[in-house]
Every structure is written in structure tokens, then in C-alpha cells.
Amino acid sequence: MESRNEAYDGAYNATFWGDFSYHGYGFSEDGSKFCEQIPILVNSFGVWEKLDLPIRGMKIWDYSLPHLESVIVLVLCLWQFFYLSLKKIGLPVPKITSMMIAGAALSQTNLLPNDWTIQHILFPDDTRPKVPETLGGFAFVFYWFIEGVKMDVGMVRKTGTKVIVTGIATVILPIIAANMVFGKLRETGGKYLTGMEYRTILFMQSISAFTGISRLLRDLRINHSEFGRIVISTAMVADGTGFGVNLFALVAWMDWRVSALQGVGIIGYVIFMVWVVRPAMFWVIKRTPQERPVKECFIYIILILAFGGYYFLKEIHMFPAVGPFLLGLCVPHGPPLGSQLVEKFESFNTGILLPLFLFFSMLQIDGPWLANQIGQLRHFDGQLYEALTIIIVVFVAKIIFSMIPALLAKMPLTDSFVMALILSNKGIVELCYFLYGVESNVLHVKSFTIMATMILVSSTISPVLIHYLYDSSKRFISFQKRNLMSLKLGSELKFLVCIHKADHISGMINLLAQSFPLHESTISCYVIHLVELVGLDNPVFISHQMQKAEPGNRSYSNNVLIAFDNFKHYWKSISLELFTCISNPRYMHQEIYSLALDKQASFLMLPFHIIWSLDQTTVVSDDVMRRNANLNVLRQAPCSVGIFVHRQKLLSAQKSSPSFEVTHI
């Protein structure tokens, strides 16, 4: 194997070269030179190496790959333990918070004796590259990119005036209030905090990071509700407002040459993304055959662009994670490109790699110093007391100014308070920004200990409070009897028909025609096409006007539109409306509930989860997802429910009238 000396001073040392050739790296005698073998030796020679060679042998975790694997297994087991334990006792703490708790739990192991194994694994005392930490940083950049891919920018255009006002007020007004309270301390600093630390803490406590709030709503399972959509839209507006405030602050507080360079850089980057990269992505989609995956080479090019954007913003001294996030926003959401990126990378990145970032970030907490600062709180003194003053003032102002617009918009008091709590929650985005502040010498390490602890407390307590204050299932309770048995004679029957696949269209239409053969029958039929949410972070609900669809157009519900449009022409007395719902299969029943309550439906028809072949001899599809959706609907349906099992043979349908069997359970 050929080796290369990275820093050779010309002197020969037998021990040094022996260690170098065997271990793959080495130090000079005075410790000033570090050498490594190319390619680096990452695999160990087995668990018995240290016993066979007690002097020159290395322990298995001293090699890069076993060390990385050991850390991944340790972190994975630890955060899963905290997550499952808290869930078992009824505390719905998000997974990301459990990852942070795992790091905080082991943060003081650096105080243990140096010969302990945990010290060698988590705090190696050599200058080799820290592979787990590097991989964790890689995961965070990738996390921002994926969150941008899943974000639908088009939601901003659909938001109402009240949502926009709330999103702007929840960021701007707390900043103004805090500036009035602290005055010149933002410039001169206080007894323990510098002016830059005052401004950084004040700003980060005032913003509402969309990516963190969106994940919190997913963890609490309320992102598919109407309330969740309002909060998500508000967070999107608030995040954009915070970005604008940040740019304004850079111009106001930095040298005009530096701010001008940053302004030109970010504007040029956005122009390149919007007018060059995004059209190129549409070109890739156009070249991809329908229902076929995008070529792997294009996926790799996008990943290179994501990390290129990270390093570009780092070079112009801006928060570098914004680069891949903006690129993610430019990726066309949904299939084939956006959904493929999410399906290919999100699970592995979020479940395996991202915990490394959160774990090692929380390892930096200085526990003994923090305990000493907590003791000084009774004297109203100390760095922790000064930082808590800023945090509490901004938090109270943010809660108040988030609730006022919601209350003026006639939102219930509890929902307004819950929305304010969600918008005030802090998580992974704020943690990364404070880490970036330490690296940029904006924050001291002690200040990071305080802010990391406050983020951990916020992300632990807020979800629990939200869970117990907001019950999304209550809005599905119907206080009127809306079922077939309670219908009065001659009253209008309102159907809600659910369709998952094109196989369900003909059967549902035949059922409607046979159930109401007379043209004088007066019924209202609402058809909802349920599509699995892939490549998006938030559900989409589309209300279609029953117009003649153009054949050949690429649409989620094109076939459904054409079929029911033709059906309407033959049954003039039927009032027909069609909707498309793109949602997570686990929460599709909530969309069905909402539409059934909104339209006051008396009968809800679901397709059976099994589909048979044309000759009805074999099962071609047994969809567990659809079966679970049906079960969820049956548990709390606001009206009568029917499950349609369609097994009519194709030839018999053409020769004779079909037979129907109705079962009442």
C-alpha cells in the first residue's frame, strides 16, 4: 500500500513511522506534526487486536468506521429509549426533542476519568477528523434541503389577509416591544452579555421558523386539520418576515461594504435558483416518462448544488443552511422529482444521521456552570438571569401579539393560545443558529449553554401543553343525527363518495345509478378523490368545479373528473361536486370527516380495500393503507357509513342487470 506523509520535517523516527504505517496516522515527537496514510485505514483488524498487540494495537472504536458505527448505535438506542419512555407515560414529546435529551443526558460524561470507554467514544482526545460530528452537520444541511422540497410556496398566495397580518405581527411587534424594554443594552451590552448577544437572542426568540413548526405539527398530528393549515400558513409568513428583518439588521449593524456584498450575493443566488436551476428541473421532469423515476444523475447534481449553496452562503458570511433550503424551495413539489427526493433520503437522514447533529450539539452543555448560574438566580444576578430576562420578555410579548389578531378574527380563546404557543416554540433551527453564532464568535460558549437548555425546555414543555389543550377530534363530534335512519320522508339525501383508485369509479357510478334509477330522485353527491401525500410536507385540498375535463392533461383527478362529468349529464337532478384531497394516509379520515360535516352528509360510502381481477378469481390488490383508513372512519364517523364491495364480472354486467347485497352491521 502506498502511503504519503502529509507533514514531514525530514527527521527519521522509527517509533513514529512504525505507528504511522500500522495505525494509518501518527504524530511527531514534539506533537507539532500530524501524518496520515492515504487511503486512510478505517476498518479494524478485529476485536482481538488489542489483546494480541498490547503495545501497538488499537481498540476497535479507535478506527473511523467502527467508531462511527458505535456512536450511531449508541445515539439511536438512547434517543429511542427516551422517546418510548416519555410516550409510555403519556408525554407526547417529539422525536427531535428526544434526540436532544439524549445528548443532554450524556453531556457531563466529559467529566469522567479519561480511561473510561465512554470518554474514548464520545470525546476522543486526538486531532483526527471527527467523523460522527461531520456526518451530523451533513445531515442538518440535508434536513434543511428536504424541508424546502416538501414546502409548498404556493400556499403563500392562498393565505388570507388575517393570516398575513398575524404572521407579520408575531415577529415585528415582539421585536419592537423588546427594543423598547432593553433600549441601549442592544448596543452596549449588559453586565454579562454583549450587545451582539442581546440582539441575537432577541431576534431568535422573536422569529417563528417554518421548518421547526411544520415538524412540530406533524409530530402532534394536527397538521391535517383546518387549525393546522392556518398555523402553517401563519408560520410561513412569519418565517419570511423574519428573513426580511434579518437582512435589514445586517444592513443596519454591519459595515456597508460587507452588507452590500452579502446583499448582492444573496440576490444573485436567488436569481440563479429561480431563473436557471428551477427551469432546468422542469426540463428534467419533461424528459422523464410519466410514472417513471428521475434518472439518478440528476438527483446527484441536485445534491451537489445543495451543498454548493451551503458553502456559497458561508463564504459571504450568511447563515449557510439557507442556501440548500432555497434550493429545496425551487424543486417542483410532488412527483416525479420532489417525491423521489423525499422518499429516497428523508427517512434515513432523519432517523439515522440527524440524531448525530442534535446529540453532539447538546453535548456542548456545561452542566456544572449552569448549575452554579441557577443558584445565582435567587440573588437576581448572573449571566443566566440576564439571558432569562430577555427570553421571558420576548416570549410574553410574542404570546400576546400572536393571540390578538387571532382573537380579532373570531378564533376561540383556547385555539388562539395554542397557536401562540406553537409559533413561540423553539427547536432545531434555533439550535443550529446559536451553534453558528458560536462558530462566528457572535456568542460565547456559556451563552450557548443557556440557549441550548432553554430550547430543550421549550421543545419539551410546549408540545405537552399543546397536546392537552387542543383536541382535534372534538371538532368531528356531530350534535345532530345525520344518518339514513333519521332522514325524514322526502328530504334530500346527501352522499359522500370516496375514491382511492380509478378501479373504484365505475362501481361507484353504477351503485349511484341503481340506487336512484328515477331521474326525479333528488340527491346531492359529493365525490372526494383521496391521493397519497408524497413529496410534500402539508396536505392539499382542492375543490373542483364540475366542468368537462380535457383528456390527456396530467392531473391527479383527471379520470374522476371525466367520469363523473359524463354521469351528471344523464342524471340532471343530481347535484354533484368533486374534490381532491392529497393527504397522508394516516390522516385521510380527518379530511373525510371535515367534508362530511361541512356538507352535512347523511351517508358516507367507502371503497373496500381489496380489488379483484376482471374475472374475479384472484386478488390483485390488498391495500393495508386503505383498510386502516376505512377503520379510522368507522371509529368516529359523523354519519352513516357504507363499505362498497364491488365484485361484478365484466361479461355479466353487459348481459344482465346486476344484483346487489346490502348488509347492515
Side-chain angles (χ1 to χ4, degrees):
M1 180 182 296
E2 186 175 334
S3 62
R4 177 165 58 93
N5 188 359
E6 297 287 348
Y8 175 53
D9 58 359
Y12 177 78
N13 185 294
T15 304
F16 172 72
W17 288 109
D19 289 343
F20 172 78
S21 59
Y22 185 78
H23 294 158
Y25 73 96
F27 291 96
S28 60
E29 289 184 335
D30 59 1
S32 62
K33 305 295 182 183
F34 174 73
C35 302
E36 64 180 5
Q37 182 176 329
I38 302 297
I40 302 173
L41 188 62
V42 296
N43 292 312
S44 71
F45 293 100
V47 295
W48 307 109
E49 175 186 351
K50 186 65 178 176
L51 297 177
D52 294 339
L53 302 170
I55 298 178
R56 289 173 44 179
M58 295 172 62
K59 296 179 180 178
I60 188 170
W61 50 78
D62 287 333
Y63 291 91
S64 300
L65 184 58
H67 177 248
L68 175 62
E69 293 169 340
S70 302
V71 172
I72 288 177
V73 171
L74 173 65
V75 173
L76 180 63
C77 294
L78 199 58
W79 81 259
Q80 285 284 356
F81 168 76
F82 284 111
Y83 175 71
L84 295 176
S85 300
L86 292 171
K87 186 177 180 180
K88 190 71 174 177
I89 62 177
L91 297 179
V93 176
K95 292 181 180 179
I96 284 183
T97 304
S98 302
M99 300 172 192
M100 296 169 61
I101 294 175
L106 295 185
S107 60
Q108 304 314 305
T109 52
N110 62 337
L111 302 177
L112 298 174
N114 293 330
D115 56 348
W116 283 43
T117 301
I118 192 69
Q119 276 277 49
H120 291 292
I121 295 177
L122 297 181
F123 305 99
D125 56 353
D126 52 54
T127 59
R128 289 177 296 171
K130 303 299 185 290
V131 179
E133 292 94 320
T134 304
L135 202 58
F138 170 89
F140 178 76
V141 175
F142 210 55
Y143 167 80
W144 268 70
F145 170 68
I146 294 296
E147 290 297 317
V149 172
K150 296 192 296 182
M151 181 176 173
D152 185 8
V153 185
M155 289 182 61
V156 179
R157 298 193 301 266
K158 303 173 186 176
T159 55
T161 305
K162 297 175 183 178
V163 170
I164 295 175
V165 170
T166 306
I168 295 175
T170 192
V171 175
I172 298 295
L173 295 182
I175 292 177
I176 295 175
N179 286 336
M180 294 173 61
V181 172
F182 297 105
K184 289 188 177 181
L185 289 176
R186 299 178 298 108
E187 301 178 14
T188 60
K191 184 177 179 180
Y192 298 98
L193 298 176
T194 65
M196 181 63 75
E197 287 177 322
Y198 262 89
R199 295 194 296 272
T200 302
I201 296 174
L202 190 152
F203 172 73
M204 293 307 298
Q205 289 299 118
S206 301
I207 66 170
S208 299
F210 171 81
T211 53
I213 291 174
S214 177
R215 177 160 288 276
L216 174 63
L217 293 177
R218 286 205 309 274
D219 290 336
L220 295 175
R221 300 180 180 180
I222 58 178
N223 60 321
H224 285 70
S225 64
E226 185 65 25
F227 174 78
R229 290 191 182 95
I230 294 174
V231 176
I232 287 174
S233 300
T234 305
M236 195 177 299
V237 175
D239 205 1
T241 304
F243 186 72
V245 171
N246 191 23
L247 291 179
F248 177 79
L250 289 175
V251 174
W253 292 98
M254 297 185 67
D255 183 76
W256 69 270
R257 299 178 185 85
V258 177
S259 59
L261 176 63
Q262 291 177 336
V264 172
I266 191 65
I267 292 173
Y269 181 77
V270 171
I271 291 174
F272 177 72
M273 290 292 116
V274 175
W275 275 278
V276 178
V277 176
R278 185 170 172 83
M281 292 181 182
F282 279 111
W283 176 80
V284 170
I285 294 174
K286 189 176 180 180
R287 287 174 54 92
T288 303
Q290 192 169 2
E291 299 183 358
R292 297 290 297 173
V294 177
K295 292 183 179 179
E296 293 290 329
C297 62
F298 296 123
I299 300 296
Y300 298 143
I301 291 173
I302 292 174
L303 297 185
I304 293 173
L305 287 174
F307 287 93
Y310 175 88
Y311 284 107
F312 174 75
L313 264 71
K314 186 177 180 180
E315 288 298 318
I316 62 175
H317 303 288
M318 293 194 69
F319 187 46
V322 175
F325 179 70
L326 292 176
L327 175 63
L329 293 179
C330 293
V331 176
H333 62 269
L337 187 56
S339 58
Q340 185 172 341
L341 286 168
V342 173
E343 288 179 340
K344 195 176 185 68
F345 300 110
E346 184 186 29
S347 297
F348 178 75
N349 185 70
T350 305
I352 303 297
L353 301 183
L354 188 63
L356 296 177
F357 171 79
L358 294 163
F359 178 82
F360 282 102
S361 298
M362 298 305 293
L363 277 184
Q364 312 305 317
I365 292 178
D366 190 342
W369 178 85
L370 187 62
N372 180 48
Q373 288 292 308
I374 293 174
Q376 294 187 29
L377 288 177
R378 64 177 181 270
H379 304 298
F380 301 100
D381 190 37
Q383 189 170 342
L384 176 60
Y385 172 76
E386 195 168 347
L388 276 177
T389 305
I390 306 173
I391 294 171
I392 293 174
V393 168
V394 178
F395 177 77
V396 172
K398 192 171 180 67
I399 291 290
I400 294 173
F401 291 121
S402 298
M403 290 182 63
I404 291 176
L407 292 172
L408 293 176
K410 305 297 179 59
M411 181 180 286
L413 178 62
T414 303
D415 290 358
S416 301
F417 180 67
V418 170
M419 185 176 74
L421 276 179
I422 294 173
L423 294 175
S424 303
N425 184 66
K426 304 302 172 186
I428 183 173
V429 177
E430 291 80 8
L431 181 65
C432 179
Y433 194 90
F434 286 124
L435 275 174
Y436 174 71
V438 173
E439 294 179 359
S440 305
N441 297 321
V442 172
L443 286 180
H444 291 111
V445 178
K446 305 301 183 184
S447 299
F448 173 79
T449 294
I450 296 174
M451 298 315 301
T453 305
M454 292 301 104
I455 290 172
L456 179 60
V457 172
S458 171
S459 60
T460 303
I461 296 177
S462 294
V464 176
L465 287 176
I466 295 167
H467 174 74
Y468 287 106
L469 289 174
Y470 181 79
D471 185 4
S472 59
S473 63
K474 288 183 179 179
R475 63 193 179 93
F476 300 127
I477 299 176
S478 179
F479 297 98
Q480 287 182 311
K481 290 184 178 181
R482 293 181 186 144
N483 50 54
L484 295 177
M485 300 299 294
S486 62
L487 279 179
K488 295 181 180 180
L489 185 63
S491 60
E492 182 183 17
L493 177 61
K494 295 183 178 182
F495 260 74
L496 176 57
V497 177
C498 301
I499 291 177
H500 288 275
K501 294 184 177 182
D503 306 80
H504 304 144
I505 297 174
S506 60
M508 289 294 187
I509 290 178
N510 290 337
L511 179 63
L512 290 173
Q514 295 296 327
S515 301
F516 301 92
L518 299 178
H519 290 275
E520 292 78 12
S521 301
T522 57
I523 65 171
S524 294
C525 184
Y526 308 101
V527 181
I528 180 170
H529 183 206
L530 301 167
V531 182
E532 183 179 359
L533 179 70
V534 179
L536 277 175
D537 200 19
N538 305 305
V540 178
F541 191 85
I542 305 169
S543 177
H544 301 280
Q545 291 183 351
M546 290 306 298
Q547 299 174 348
K548 186 174 180 61
E550 295 292 335
N553 289 348
R554 295 182 69 174
S555 171
Y556 286 109
S557 305
N558 198 41
N559 294 334
V560 182
L561 281 166
I562 295 173
F564 279 92
D565 185 56
N566 293 332
F567 172 69
K568 184 183 178 183
H569 287 307
Y570 290 97
W571 268 261
K572 303 289 185 181
S573 60
I574 293 182
S575 173
L576 199 59
E577 293 183 35
L578 190 137
F579 305 88
T580 296
C581 173
I582 308 173
S583 174
N584 190 309
R586 290 181 295 177
Y587 311 116
M588 280 182 177
H589 61 285
Q590 296 186 7
E591 308 291 348
I592 298 172
Y593 289 163
S594 298
L595 187 59
L597 287 172
D598 183 55
K599 300 300 181 181
Q600 298 182 354
S602 301
F603 187 64
L604 199 162
M605 191 177 301
L606 304 170
F608 195 48
H609 65 281
I610 295 178
I611 298 177
W612 287 268
S613 59
L614 291 177
D615 58 2
Q616 305 301 315
T617 57
T618 57
V619 174
V620 296
S621 175
D622 187 358
D623 197 331
V624 178
M625 176 267 293
R626 195 178 307 121
R627 178 178 180 271
N628 293 332
N630 290 348
L631 291 174
N632 290 331
V633 171
L634 289 170
R635 287 191 182 99
Q636 200 179 356
C639 59
S640 297
V641 179
I643 296 180
F644 180 50
V645 183
H646 186 227
R647 294 199 64 178
Q648 183 185 19
K649 294 184 178 181
L650 186 63
L651 293 178
S652 64
Q654 297 173 352
K655 292 181 180 180
S656 61
S657 59
S659 61
F660 293 88
E661 294 182 5
V662 179
T663 303
H664 181 266
I665 300 177

